[in-house]
């Protein structure tokens, strides 16, 4: 007789293991506001440094509702942000004040040269910005869904080579595509959204074998051994994380 695994039972056990682990990571299961929407964002200085030009920052892509993967610039590694699908419309785009005002490095005597867009574009950006200029010195923060139509209206192209000089002056906080629940946000933040078949084993570590305290002690309560090892690798000390050659993504 051959025993067969019950997929429904496996799924139920996995969901229970995740729920228990998330409760530990969140400090005892905080009350969830049913009216709230929870999200995960990805930011990286290296990503921003080489952001432009790129093929995905088009008016249509930023205006669209379809989430999708972005090109992987790094190659496969255990906790790659490029396994996530990104919601470009919900992502945040930050414009430097000097870039918008044409001052400093972007001024008449600045080394960056003229802006790749005009005053009318800047005016429309400021009209939809989430930042109060009176308090924030003229910087602008907009969502992709707001930026996309403005790119189209003013003929601004962020895919062309002339936009390379925007790197560091126009930065992006990418929103990971989730369903808005705390559970789905935690799945993304812990790289468990693809299921138990994609957990990373602590045996893959060359040096570190445990999480930094107090997380090592807390994670001892996670009964699912593979999940416990996977989460250990997200709770390493900075030096241990660096020794593995994996830059941990900044998830917020």
């Amino acid at each position: 007789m051959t025993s067969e695994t019950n997929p429904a039972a496996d799924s139920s056990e996995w969901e229970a293991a995740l729920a228990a682990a998330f409760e530990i990571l969140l400090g005892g299961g905080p009350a969830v506001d049913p009216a709230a929407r929870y999200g995960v964002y990805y930011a990286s200085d290296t990503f921003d440094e080489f952001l432009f030009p790129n093929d995905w920052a088009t008016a249509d892509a930023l205006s669209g509702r379809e989430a999708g993967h972005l090109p992987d610039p790094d190659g496969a590694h255990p906790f790659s942000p490029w396994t996530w699908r990104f919601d470009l419309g919900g992502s945040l785009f930050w414009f430097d004040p000097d870039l918008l005002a044409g001052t400093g490095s972007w001024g008449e005597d600045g080394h960056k040269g003229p802006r790749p867009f005009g005053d009318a574009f800047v005016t429309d950006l400021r009209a939809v910005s989430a930042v109060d200029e009176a308090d924030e010195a003229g910087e602008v923060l907009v969502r992709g869904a707001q930026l996309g139509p403005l790119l189209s209206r003013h003929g601004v192209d962020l895919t062309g080579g002339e936009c390379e000089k925007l790197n560091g002056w126009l930065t992006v906080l990418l929103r990971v595509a989730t369903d808005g629940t705390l559970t789905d946000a935690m799945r993304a933040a812990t790289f468990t959204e693809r299921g138990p078949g994609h957990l990373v084993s602590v045996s893959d570590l060359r040096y570190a074998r445990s999480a930094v305290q107090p997380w090592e002690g807390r994670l001892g309560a996670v009964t699912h051994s593979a999940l416990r090892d996977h989460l250990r690798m997200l709770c390493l000390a900075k030096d241990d994380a660096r020794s593995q050659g994996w830059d941990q993504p900044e998830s917020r």
Side-chain angles (χ1 to χ4, degrees):
M1 179 180 294
T2 302
S3 62
E4 295 185 357
T5 301
N6 184 334
D10 283 353
S11 176
S12 177
E13 291 173 3
W14 172 243
E15 295 299 328
L18 283 181
F22 293 164
E23 184 172 331
I24 290 169
L25 292 175
L26 292 170
V32 177
D33 182 351
R37 288 184 58 81
Y38 298 85
V40 176
Y41 290 83
Y42 170 70
S44 166
D45 289 342
T46 303
F47 176 66
D48 282 332
E49 184 179 357
F50 301 101
L51 181 60
F52 299 109
N54 64 60
D55 293 334
W56 57 259
T58 65
D60 288 344
L62 299 184
S63 302
R65 296 179 177 274
E66 291 294 325
H69 295 280
L70 296 184
D72 182 354
D74 304 321
H77 63 86
F79 296 109
S80 171
W82 313 113
T83 63
W84 287 325
R85 293 181 310 114
F86 290 105
D87 169 13
L88 294 180
S91 297
L92 297 171
F93 292 74
W94 179 86
F95 289 77
D96 182 90
D98 282 334
L99 167 63
L100 295 180
T103 55
S105 298
W106 293 91
E108 187 173 327
D109 298 323
H111 71 279
K112 296 299 290 186
R115 298 173 309 190
F117 41 74
D119 290 340
F121 176 71
V122 174
T123 298
D124 281 354
L125 270 179
R126 295 194 189 284
V128 298
S129 174
V131 176
D132 185 343
E133 294 180 45
D135 297 327
E136 300 295 339
E139 62 189 10
V140 159
L141 185 69
V142 297
R143 297 194 181 277
Q146 298 168 311
L147 178 59
L150 299 186
L151 296 179
S152 179
R153 183 185 309 163
H154 295 279
V156 176
D157 180 13
L158 297 181
T159 68
E162 70 278 4
C163 286
E164 184 176 357
K165 63 183 180 179
L166 288 176
N167 289 326
W169 300 84
L170 169 53
T171 62
V172 181
L173 196 61
L174 291 170
R175 184 181 178 91
V176 181
T178 64
D179 64 9
T181 65
L182 179 58
T183 296
D184 208 38
M186 288 296 294
R187 287 176 187 270
T190 58
F191 293 90
T192 55
E193 77 277 11
R194 293 187 292 167
H198 293 272
L199 297 177
V200 180
S201 171
V202 73
S203 64
D204 293 335
L205 291 173
R206 293 191 294 272
Y207 306 109
R209 287 292 181 270
S210 62
V212 67
Q213 292 295 356
W215 294 110
E216 179 63 25
R218 295 176 184 175
L219 291 175
V222 178
T223 57
H224 191 297
S225 60
L227 177 59
R228 182 172 61 247
D229 278 355
H230 177 91
L231 294 176
R232 275 189 175 125
M233 295 180 71
L234 292 170
C235 298
L236 297 178
K238 289 183 179 180
D239 289 342
D240 286 336
R242 291 194 188 100
S243 74
Q244 302 313 308
W246 300 324
D247 294 326
Q248 302 305 302
E250 301 172 17
S251 299
R252 300 176 183 174

